Amino acid sequence: MKPHGNNLFLQSKYNVTAFFYDILDYPWERVYRKWRPTLVGDLRGKVLEAGVGTGRNLEFYHEDVDLLGIELSKQMLSKAEKRIKKAKCKVRLINEDATLMKSIDSNQFDWVFSTFMCCVMPDEIQNLALDQFGRVLKEGGRFRLLEIVYSKNKKIRKRQELFAPFVEKVYGARFDRNTLRYIEQSPTLKVEKTSFLKDDTYLLIEGIRV
Ligand SMILES: C[S@@+](CC[C@H](N)C(=O)[O-])C[C@H]1O[C@@H](n2cnc3c(N)ncnc32)[C@H](O)[C@@H]1O
């Protein structure tokens, strides 16, 4: 799979990060692990998970899910493949760029789901991924995205600013992506609900394909 030009850098970053991703992410994963069952537990039908990473969500999908997981980095994907055996549902994982989705047919998914993918995507290509979400979702299909954003609380923000260079260097992630704004401007995706899972930093964006 040849990614979008802007994603070549991110792809090579994650091909390296993959080797120590789970270890580095461990302190955060201890928190995320409590959220993941609820985040995917009510999804049913055909689900597209974008940016599956090392496959941390796989074990929590309901058995009635038919899951297609896409991932930019082959090395991350191979870590995720090892977690397929933990899944209760049908899983297919492919190396695919969420901003292109060349191998994926339109109007077929009941859900598009993603955790911490848009916050690693440069702002200038986020619309490409959102257009693809709208294309592959059925009309009336739903999306749920968990992203990390800057807090309005000075103390928390200061801590985030301290971590920001590390987070960007290792994960390509930034706290100042404008994903919510882009979805609000999307012609095909309608935001129905936003909420925070912790403080005002872990932003859950949910909505429907109109
Ligand atoms: C911060 S990690 C999160 C991984 C996983 N979703 C989780 O919750 O642990 C972001 C993942 O998104 C993937 N990714 C970034 N841009 C992508 C794109 N355009 N298409 C597919 N995957 C992408 C990265 O390779 C990486 O594995």
Side-chain angles (χ1 to χ4, degrees):
M1 183 267 321
K2 194 171 174 294
H4 187 279
N6 292 27
N7 277 333
L8 279 166
F9 179 66
L10 199 59
Q11 186 186 47
S12 47
K13 184 187 283 292
Y14 269 95
N15 280 343
V16 175
T17 303
F19 293 100
F20 44 89
Y21 184 90
D22 281 342
I23 296 167
L24 266 186
D25 218 39
Y26 179 73
W28 289 281
E29 186 56 33
R30 287 179 61 187
V31 179
Y32 304 160
R33 204 174 163 72
K34 293 179 195 142
W35 300 342
R36 295 188 193 276
T38 317
L39 284 171
V40 302
D42 63 332
L43 309 192
R44 298 288 184 276
K46 284 190 81 171
V47 178
L48 177 95
E49 181 178 336
V52 288
T54 60
R56 289 292 197 180
N57 294 312
L58 297 182
E59 66 185 283
F60 302 114
Y61 284 98
H62 190 273
E63 59 189 31
D64 292 341
V65 165
D66 178 359
L67 179 71
L68 176 65
I70 64 171
E71 171 51 52
L72 187 66
S73 150
K74 274 191 178 166
Q75 269 66 29
M76 292 293 275
L77 197 67
S78 75
K79 301 270 176 193
E81 277 161 354
K82 294 195 179 102
R83 292 206 162 98
I84 291 184
K85 56 180 180 292
K86 293 188 172 182
K88 299 180 280 292
C89 67
K90 185 176 158 200
V91 181
R92 192 161 66 95
L93 299 179
I94 58 169
N95 182 216
E96 177 61 271
D97 182 343
T99 65
L100 298 172
M101 297 204 204
K102 279 192 179 152
S103 61
I104 303 176
D105 291 340
S106 306
N107 300 315
Q108 55 160 322
F109 289 97
D110 299 290
W111 279 94
V112 165
F113 175 74
S114 180
T115 47
F116 311 119
M117 184 189 75
C118 292
C119 54
V120 311
M121 283 189 358
D123 268 327
E124 57 273 23
I125 58 170
Q126 295 224 356
N127 276 328
L128 299 178
L130 298 177
D131 287 350
Q132 291 306 315
F133 291 174
R135 181 182 69 78
V136 300
L137 274 170
K138 291 174 183 167
E139 202 180 319
R142 311 194 72 82
F143 63 90
R144 179 178 292 159
L145 314 176
L146 179 63
E147 302 302 334
I148 188 155
V149 294
Y150 268 127
S151 172
K152 290 191 172 60
N153 175 300
K154 276 189 186 161
K155 226 167 125 186
I156 300 173
R157 176 150 183 149
K158 227 174 169 183
R159 211 169 50 223
Q160 286 178 310
E161 282 172 348
L162 211 69
F163 269 109
F166 166 81
V167 168
E168 184 163 13
K169 176 119 188 121
V170 178
Y171 303 104
R174 292 178 60 111
F175 301 103
D176 60 356
R177 305 284 191 213
N178 293 297
T179 309
L180 177 60
R181 172 146 51 93
Y182 299 135
I183 301 176
E184 283 167 345
Q185 292 164 357
S186 159
T188 50
L189 303 177
K190 182 170 175 262
V191 176
E192 288 194 322
K193 188 179 169 196
T194 59
S195 51
F196 287 107
L197 298 195
K198 189 182 170 209
D199 304 321
D200 58 343
T201 56
Y202 289 97
L203 174 65
L204 189 64
I205 310 168
E206 298 176 88
I208 189 163
R209 148 87 156 87
V210 286

